[in-house]
Amino acid sequence: MTPHPARLLPRSRGRTWALGAVAALAIGLAVPLSTGAAAAEESDADSGLAGSELYVNPWSTTLEAAQSLTGQARDDAQLLGSIASADWFTSGTPAEVEAAVDDVVTAAAAQGRMPVLVAYNLPFRDCAQYSAGGAADTAAYAAWIDGFAAGIGDRAATVILEPDGLGIIPHYVTLDGQHEWCQPSEVPAETAATDRFAQLNHAVDAIVALPEASVYLDGTSSAWLNVGEISDRLIKAGVQDADGFFLNASNYQFTANNTAYGTWVSQCIAYATQVNPGDFGSCGNQYWNGGPATDWQGVGMSPYGEWSADAADPALNTSGVDSRYAAILGDVEATTHFVIDTSRNGLGPWNHEGRYGDTHEDWCNPPDRGLGTRPDTTTDVPLVDAYLWIKVPGESDGKCYRGTAGPLDPERGIEDPAAGQWFVEQARELIALADPPIAPLDCHVAWAVDADEGSFAATVRLSGAVADRWTLAFAVPDGQTVTKATRAAVVQADGIVTVSGATKKAGNAPDTVIHAKGAASTPWQFLLDGRACTS
């Protein structure tokens, strides 16, 4: 389940767009908002996700949330807004989504960076639960995704295609003949599954036809579908034409577990397409881990610890399944790549055992979780193209009742925000319990505006870790032009202003006063010498 509502939000305050989050920085570190052809030329000719630098969106929903917050809550949102998360596109007409995607991709291309875009508009998505919505039918979805693809054009982009799109399929019958729980009366049972695969195949074809785009399909997670089941669905959805699949979207499963699971899925795809076509039942999986290396002794694997081939706990040991694939693959190599959402899995999933029965909703705002590995496109795992923050950390999974009548979340004793809304308490937990730990922002920008009709002046004071000579970068809305800055040089291009100056020597004088034409405003994010600051 991937709670994320549709919304229309301003990026440049000159155009509205239907999306959810922010694309930000490679390996979780703020970088200068560089602009123009020189930055674009730095981008490698290989436009794939692996090894790319991720785009910073200075108008993210995380930074938008910060604008209405104060104190620690504001600092937390600004810290999270400095780290890469994906942009979600969830609604709109084909023309609207084309314009919205174009906004993001154009800005990213100007900096020579990689935007990560989530397409989330399948008909009857999420089986009409927390994230109900989507296109009306297959034809409407095809038109929408064609608009989405047109917005990318010939620029680089990575597309996360339809979270839950393969995990939740209306009226689906599994490989072992089980009718899954999603049985909506509004959807024709006889065509629901074939329609879903047709929709995803069309989307894959539309995106792979673009010269610089990559696309990844839903691979669920290590705690969801078994390996053979998801491998079959991925093949039916066109994974062999795509760049791979994504795992753990909006979930909390350990990276190590998803790495093992994703490797097995890739191996199963290789086996069931090259060695013994269609034999998904022979694919080892996480729900019984016996194999040659364990003398065919096995147990169901536990999500509450990190899996490895040498784990002493049999429920965490992958060697049995690993050895099964080594035996059945021979010299056939797995080649299907994947990415992992590490936004909230630093401490793994919440252990709800013995609580709430089957209504634990362990995916819904579980308590005491931590941020995971920072976004990184240079992993040490050959099949893993990137660790991404697909889910926007700090945004609520929904109103979690865990089998009670509500409105309070019984685990937290408060009413959780609606899906996609900012959750102050959860953001604080994620930062405080991050693994690896995350440092607070170490600089601060005070911005005081004196507005006149059609123009304004902003007094800027820098504090914290400030060098003798500094560069301050920030995005400005459409229609705003910075004309000068006292004791500093100014460059404005592609919606980004860069101010370079020297630290004030004494007294209470500001570091600079910025003069601009247009409506007065305060930037949502400041980067001081490439580091994000609080403000």
Side-chain angles (χ1 to χ4, degrees):
M1 299 177 183
T2 308
H4 216 293
R7 356 179 207 185
L8 289 171
L9 296 166
R11 180 187 69 84
S12 62
R13 305 186 200 178
R15 176 184 286 175
T16 58
W17 50 337
L19 53 81
V22 52
L25 315 169
I27 58 174
L29 299 175
V31 296
L33 292 168
S34 57
T35 61
E41 287 172 1
E42 294 174 2
S43 180
D44 194 284
D46 181 0
S47 62
L49 173 63
S52 66
E53 293 186 86
L54 302 178
Y55 166 64
V56 179
N57 186 340
W59 304 110
S60 71
T61 53
T62 302
L63 295 172
E64 182 188 36
Q67 304 314 299
S68 62
L69 301 172
T70 59
Q72 184 67 60
R74 181 182 176 90
D75 291 352
D76 288 346
Q78 290 182 327
L79 171 59
L80 292 173
S82 72
I83 301 170
S85 299
D87 283 296
W88 287 65
F89 299 81
T90 63
S91 65
T93 67
E96 287 170 340
V97 76
E98 178 180 351
V101 170
D102 177 68
D103 269 350
V104 177
V105 176
T106 297
Q111 298 180 24
R113 300 187 184 276
M114 176 67 75
V116 178
L117 318 174
V118 178
Y120 190 54
N121 198 38
L122 277 172
F124 221 75
R125 68 178 181 222
D126 198 33
C127 205
Q129 297 184 104
Y130 287 78
S131 298
D137 52 33
T138 298
Y141 182 73
W144 186 87
I145 203 70
D146 287 348
F148 184 104
I152 297 173
D154 62 359
R155 284 84 57 84
T158 294
V159 179
I160 302 299
L161 185 61
E162 301 295 344
D164 297 343
L166 290 175
I168 303 175
I169 303 175
H171 298 286
Y172 197 69
V173 180
T174 65
L175 289 172
D176 59 3
Q178 299 297 312
H179 290 260
E180 292 203 323
W181 61 271
C182 181
Q183 302 282 323
S185 59
E186 303 94 323
V187 180
E190 62 275 11
T191 61
T194 55
D195 286 348
R196 175 61 59 86
F197 290 122
Q199 293 153 9
L200 291 171
N201 272 278
H202 177 87
V204 169
D205 290 344
I207 296 165
V208 299
L210 304 174
E212 304 288 332
S214 304
V215 59
Y216 296 83
L217 282 157
D218 174 32
T220 71
S221 78
S222 56
W224 197 345
L225 296 181
N226 75 55
V227 171
E229 182 65 41
I230 188 57
S231 299
D232 177 55
R233 298 187 193 192
L234 282 164
I235 291 170
K236 290 175 179 175
V239 73
Q240 291 167 290
D241 295 321
D243 292 87
F245 55 93
F246 60 88
L247 299 175
N248 203 47
S250 299
N251 215 306
Y252 299 84
Q253 307 305 314
F254 283 111
T255 297
N257 302 10
N258 279 293
T259 301
Y261 175 75
T263 300
W264 297 337
V265 171
S266 186
Q267 290 171 326
C268 182
I269 290 171
Y271 170 76
T273 57
Q274 299 179 56
V275 179
N276 195 359
D279 183 19
F280 297 99
S282 294
C283 291
N285 69 74
Q286 72 272 38
Y287 294 110
W288 188 78
N289 65 355
T294 63
D295 197 24
W296 295 99
Q297 302 299 307
V299 297
M301 300 192 72
S302 169
Y304 302 122
E306 295 189 69
W307 302 350
S308 69
D310 58 0
D313 184 345
L316 303 178
N317 192 291
T318 66
S319 63
V321 180
D322 294 340
S323 63
R324 286 182 68 176
Y325 284 107
I328 65 176
L329 282 173
D331 60 359
V332 173
E333 293 187 5
T335 58
T336 307
H337 287 222
F338 56 98
V339 299
I340 301 172
D341 184 353
T342 62
S343 57
R344 304 184 297 178
N345 71 347
L347 300 182
W350 170 48
N351 190 339
H352 58 81
E353 297 298 330
R355 313 185 71 178
Y356 309 109
D358 292 335
T359 60
H360 48 77
E361 295 181 334
D362 61 348
W363 53 269
C364 191
N365 299 329
D368 301 323
R369 300 301 90 199
L371 299 170
T373 298
R374 305 302 103 81
D376 191 347
T377 65
T378 57
T379 78
D380 294 325
V381 183
L383 290 176
V384 179
D385 287 345
Y387 303 124
L388 299 176
W389 284 12
I390 297 173
K391 169 68 177 182
V392 181
E395 292 188 350
S396 176
D397 292 316
K399 293 182 179 294
C400 314
Y401 300 152
R402 311 189 198 283
T404 69
L408 301 184
D409 179 343
E411 191 62 26
R412 293 180 173 275
I414 60 175
E415 183 173 0
D416 297 345
Q421 300 302 305
W422 194 254
F423 197 167
V424 168
E425 292 82 2
Q426 187 186 66
R428 179 89 291 270
E429 290 173 359
L430 291 170
I431 292 170
L433 300 174
D435 188 5
I438 186 169
L441 302 180
D442 66 355
C443 53
H444 183 81
V445 179
W447 175 280
V449 171
D450 182 11
D452 200 351
E453 184 174 354
S455 65
F456 68 94
T459 299
V460 178
R461 289 183 167 85
L462 309 175
S463 58
V466 184
D468 288 340
R469 301 199 64 82
W470 48 263
T471 298
L472 185 69
F474 52 90
V476 294
D478 289 350
Q480 188 176 107
T481 302
V482 173
T483 57
K484 65 178 181 178
T486 60
R487 299 186 304 280
V490 176
V491 176
Q492 180 171 344
D494 298 313
I496 305 298
V497 173
T498 304
V499 182
S500 301
T503 304
K504 63 181 186 294
K505 298 303 182 183
N508 194 38
D511 289 277
T512 189
V513 177
I514 293 173
H515 298 266
K517 294 180 180 179
S521 65
T522 299
W524 287 7
Q525 182 185 62
F526 294 97
L527 297 182
L528 180 62
D529 297 329
R531 302 169 357 259
C533 301
T534 59
S535 63

